[in-house]
Every structure is written in structure tokens, then in C-alpha cells.
Amino acid sequence: MHEASVVIARPQPCEQLVLIFHGVGSSAQDLAPLGRALAQACPGAAVVSVQAPYPSQLGRGQEWFSVIGVSEDNRPGRIAQAMPQFVQTIRHWQDVMGIDAQRTVLVGFSQGAIMSLEGTQMLEPLAGKVIAMAGRFAQPVRQAPAGTQVHLIHGEQDGVVLPQWSVQAHQQIGALGGAVTLDLLPGLGHGIDDRALQLAIRHLASPEGP
């Protein structure tokens, strides 16, 4: 399943690993331009745009879980079913690049951000940083993300994944003592603009600590 992912940069040696996760109905190729921009800004990083494993039931692209008939009640179960393969995918690329979890960054958009955020609730950290754009948790944050900085980027005009979900996640992680930042972007809908890109680059290059 990993053959459809796009390896954008693989410097030798690698200082960190950046895994990019697209939204439902999209593909690894669709976020390759984002990956190229991140690779150019961080030349020491291996960058991979990851292809979700399942054909989307929306009729095009790929997905980690179906959004047909998705609800607040059934979303957590769908994510829990997809999570083992998500974790295996992260571990696969860490092994390929010779990078540990602490030097791994997950950059997710929409469903890719949802999977990345929910991955922070695992007992063992999957990554040192998660940059979640237009994402949300499927349920209230259960624990502070152990050893993981979380950076939330969200358009204030997002009508697909409402920005209130990132506001709530910021409050909940902060209340649990986790490392988290929140950037709300006026005028941005459900997408990634240059402001979101520049924030992602800044968070990618930032030292430890929010």
C-alpha cells in the first residue's frame, strides 16, 4: 500500500521525517505541492506525502475511513478501526528513513488531521509534533499528548470542519498540561492558503516547546 505515497525529499542524512496526510477524497499527489514547499524550507527533512489506504466512497480519491453516514456517535469507532493501519504506516516510514518518533512530524489536513490528532491519544507517542490543519478530535481529549507538540491551524470560515473544534481542542489540551498552539485564520475556508503554509513551516522549524 505504500507504493502510492510520494517521497518528496530524502536527504542523507535525515534530520527529521515529515509525513503529510491528505483529506478524504484526495490523494498523496494532491498535497505534493505542500510537501515540496516544506522540503524546500527544511532541507534536512525527509518528506513523504502519504496515500490513504482505501478508495473513497465519495467516488474519487482515497480515505482512512468512510464519511458516508458519519455522525458524532459512529466517528470514533470508524477512526479506531482505521488507527492500527495508520500507526503501521507511520512506523513503516520511520523504519525506512531511520527516524524515531521524537523527530517525526505529522502534517494533516481535514481527515488526515483528524487521524493525526487522534493518534496523539495513543500511549506511545507517534511523533514529536502534529500540525493539524482544518482538523478536529473525534471525541474530547482524553489525555495530554505525551511527548508531542500539537499545532492547530484552522480557517475561521471553514464550513466543513468548524473552527470551534480546534478552539475546543486547544482548550482541552491546555487544561491537561499539554503543549499546544492555535492559529485561526480570518477569511479562510476549508483549505490551505499561504498563511497556513507559512505557519506550518514555522512550526516545523521551531525547537522543542510550543
Side-chain angles (χ1 to χ4, degrees), residues 22-26 52-58 61-68 111:
H22 61 77
V24 64
S26 187
Y54 306 114
S56 172
Q57 294 184 22
L58 295 178
Q62 301 290 117
E63 66 188 15
W64 287 97
F65 62 90
S66 174
V67 296
I68 302 297
Q111 189 177 89

Side-chain angles (χ1 to χ4, degrees), residues 165-191:
W165 293 113
S166 282
V167 173
Q168 289 180 12
H170 180 253
Q171 293 169 343
Q172 290 167 0
I173 294 172
L176 291 168
V180 61
T181 65
L182 171 64
D183 292 287
L184 296 175
L185 300 178
L188 177 63
H190 192 66

Side-chain angles (χ1 to χ4, degrees), residues 99-123:
I99 295 291
D100 60 15
Q102 190 56 41
R103 293 183 294 153
T104 299
V105 182
L106 310 183
V107 180
F109 172 73
S110 195
Q111 189 177 89
I114 292 171
M115 293 300 298
S116 298
L117 288 171
E118 282 295 326
T120 68
Q121 299 300 283
M122 305 285 290
L123 290 177

Side-chain angles (χ1 to χ4, degrees), residues 28-190:
Q29 288 287 353
D30 289 340
L31 286 190
L34 170 65
R36 288 192 288 271
L38 296 178
Q40 185 175 7
C42 299
V47 180
V48 181
S49 185
V50 176
Q51 181 96 329
Y54 306 114
S56 172
Q57 294 184 22
L58 295 178
R60 67 171 296 275
Q62 301 290 117
E63 66 188 15
W64 287 97
F65 62 90
S66 174
V67 296
I68 302 297
V70 73
S71 68
E72 293 301 305
D73 290 333
N74 64 30
R75 184 182 288 106
R78 296 185 185 191
I79 292 172
Q81 188 172 8
M83 189 57 67
Q85 193 161 11
F86 183 74
V87 173
Q88 190 278 330
T89 298
I90 294 169
R91 300 300 189 209
H92 166 80
W93 288 111
Q94 288 170 339
D95 289 344
V96 167
M97 299 300 180
I99 295 291
D100 60 15
Q102 190 56 41
R103 293 183 294 153
T104 299
V105 182
L106 310 183
V107 180
F109 172 73
S110 195
Q111 189 177 89
I114 292 171
M115 293 300 298
S116 298
L117 288 171
E118 282 295 326
T120 68
Q121 299 300 283
M122 305 285 290
L123 290 177
E124 254 186 72
L126 299 175
K129 294 179 187 177
V130 168
I131 300 173
M133 295 184 278
R136 59 166 292 183
F137 282 89
Q139 47 190 320
V141 180
R142 282 82 72 199
Q143 62 182 27
T148 305
Q149 302 171 36
V150 176
H151 301 290
L152 305 163
I153 302 171
H154 217 128
E156 288 187 349
Q157 305 306 312
D158 192 337
V160 178
V161 180
L162 299 180
Q164 72 190 47
W165 293 113
S166 282
V167 173
Q168 289 180 12
H170 180 253
Q171 293 169 343
Q172 290 167 0
I173 294 172
L176 291 168
V180 61
T181 65
L182 171 64
D183 292 287
L184 296 175
L185 300 178
L188 177 63
H190 192 66

